[in-house]
Amino acid sequence: ICYLVLLVWYVIKFQIYRDAAIPIFQWFIATIFIGFFEAFFKCGDLWVWNVDGVRFWFSLYTGVLFGVCKRAISRVLVVMLCLGWGVTCDTLGGKFKTLVMLGLVYAGVSAARDIMTIISITENEILTHNEEEEILDVVSILTFVTAFIDVTFYLWIFDALNQTMQYLESMNQSRKLKRYLRLRLFLLLSVLFAVLWSVFGIVDSYNSQRMVNEEENGWVLTAVWEVNYFVVLMGLSCLWAPEAGAKEYAYVMELSTLGNDLEFDTNVVDSPDDDSDEEEESSFSIIVHE
């Protein structure tokens, strides 16, 4: 229901400001849409399992695949935001293809790992001991590869975020910088929560009387991560909600040194990753806000 409400709200805003829409809005819609279907199919699988005592295989594997796609596209989306797409630049250039390829590799490896893990658990009565061991060995390798790609994403995210914020600060772009300060706050709070919950899980596993019994309340362990993800997604959706003038936002520069609330639109604005040393002529239209 939460995903559905967020999706409807974002799509309505997108339709209202369709003329000013930028590509990053479509990535948000795709991310929320995939998250909704992941929750839908996983709930269907758990409902059938609870009622009939058997797994609904279509919902199980479909939910897993949607979950993989959600994690992949979310990582790509956050990197795009941190690179300043739609705020400091209107295109990512060659980085876009590299980012999409990295996301596809992550999705492929993560999907193979999750599906093989499910097979090793659900088909343990059919598989021989050697076959099960071989599958688990492959899962261990895929887990390592997935973790490596995750680290690559995280380093890229915080490096790009740091560069974009330094650029905005050096250019005295206080409004845009405020948006990225909020983005950093959301990400840091999410990481802090993940660390605290992981520590709690480790400590709880050594208790004689566990606070969260995996056999009875194992779903809580997964649900907490989903809540953490949804809160971050909702926060970012609010920060990058469709609005009037979004298409020109990357070209708007704030003139805070003049003492008035001035802005000007430029046809060419250097982004943090612009390495060109050539001087280009720009036409400026000054907007004065009293």
Side-chain angles (χ1 to χ4, degrees):
I1 295 177
C2 294
Y3 274 108
L4 182 59
V5 171
L6 181 61
L7 179 63
V8 171
W9 171 76
Y10 204 91
V11 169
I12 290 176
K13 295 212 63 170
F14 179 82
Q15 292 296 330
I16 294 175
Y17 301 108
R18 190 178 186 87
D19 294 337
I22 55 178
I24 199 71
F25 295 157
Q26 297 173 355
W27 282 83
F28 269 103
I29 292 175
T31 303
I32 302 171
F33 184 83
I34 292 173
F36 167 75
F37 275 99
E38 179 204 13
F40 175 80
F41 282 107
K42 285 189 174 181
C43 287
D45 171 49
L46 294 176
W47 182 75
V48 173
W49 192 14
N50 186 54
V51 174
D52 298 337
V54 294
R55 305 303 297 266
F56 186 20
W57 299 111
F58 176 77
S59 291
L60 173 62
Y61 286 105
T62 304
V64 169
L65 292 178
F66 271 114
V68 169
C69 292
K70 183 192 73 174
R71 295 197 301 270
I73 195 173
S74 299
R75 285 159 173 74
V76 172
L77 176 61
V78 174
V79 174
M80 289 177 175
L81 297 178
C82 292
L83 288 172
W85 194 20
V87 178
T88 62
C89 58
D90 62 343
T91 179
L92 297 179
K95 292 183 179 181
F96 181 82
K97 292 183 178 180
T98 303
L99 186 54
V100 171
M101 286 300 299
L102 185 61
L104 291 175
V105 172
Y106 175 86
V109 175
S110 184
R113 180 200 62 185
D114 291 354
I115 291 176
M116 294 183 73
T117 301
I118 293 175
I119 292 175
S120 66
I121 296 174
T122 58
E123 304 294 337
N124 58 345
E125 296 180 356
I126 301 176
L127 297 172
T128 64
H129 179 74
N130 291 333
E131 290 175 338
E132 187 175 352
E133 289 293 329
E134 290 176 358
I135 291 177
L136 292 177
D137 290 339
V138 175
V139 169
S140 298
I141 296 174
L142 294 177
T143 301
F144 175 78
V145 176
T146 305
F148 177 78
I149 300 175
D150 265 330
V151 171
T152 303
F153 268 117
Y154 296 150
L155 292 177
W156 197 351
I157 286 171
F158 286 103
D159 179 65
L161 181 60
N162 184 54
Q163 290 188 22
T164 301
M165 291 181 65
Q166 287 181 352
Y167 167 77
L168 293 175
E169 187 175 4
S170 65
M171 297 294 292
N172 294 322
Q173 302 302 298
S174 59
R175 293 183 179 178
K176 295 181 179 181
L177 181 60
K178 185 181 296 184
R179 175 182 293 191
Y180 275 88
L181 287 172
R182 292 171 179 171
L183 170 61
R184 185 178 66 178
L185 177 62
F186 278 123
L187 295 179
L188 291 178
L189 288 177
S190 176
V191 171
L192 178 61
F193 177 83
V195 171
L196 292 177
W197 183 251
S198 299
V199 172
F200 167 79
I202 295 173
V203 174
D204 189 41
S205 63
Y206 287 98
N207 289 335
S208 57
Q209 294 182 347
R210 301 193 59 177
M211 297 180 63
V212 180
N213 192 324
E214 292 188 13
E215 296 181 358
E216 298 178 359
N217 303 311
W219 60 271
V220 174
L221 301 175
T222 303
V224 169
W225 293 111
E226 292 297 329
V227 171
N228 183 35
Y229 170 84
F230 181 78
V231 170
V232 174
L233 178 61
M234 182 173 60
L236 299 187
S237 299
C238 293
L239 286 178
W240 269 266
E243 58 184 357
K247 188 174 293 185
E248 294 80 21
Y249 191 64
Y251 301 113
V252 175
M253 300 291 288
E254 202 178 327
L255 295 180
S256 59
T257 58
L258 296 182
N260 296 321
D261 190 10
L262 301 179
E263 295 180 353
F264 62 87
D265 295 333
T266 65
N267 292 332
V268 180
V269 175
D270 292 336
S271 68
D273 301 315
D274 189 4
D275 296 327
S276 174
D277 293 331
E278 298 179 358
E279 295 183 356
E280 302 182 22
E281 295 182 354
S282 304
S283 61
F284 302 91
S285 60
I286 297 188
I287 305 173
V288 182
H289 301 279
E290 299 179 357

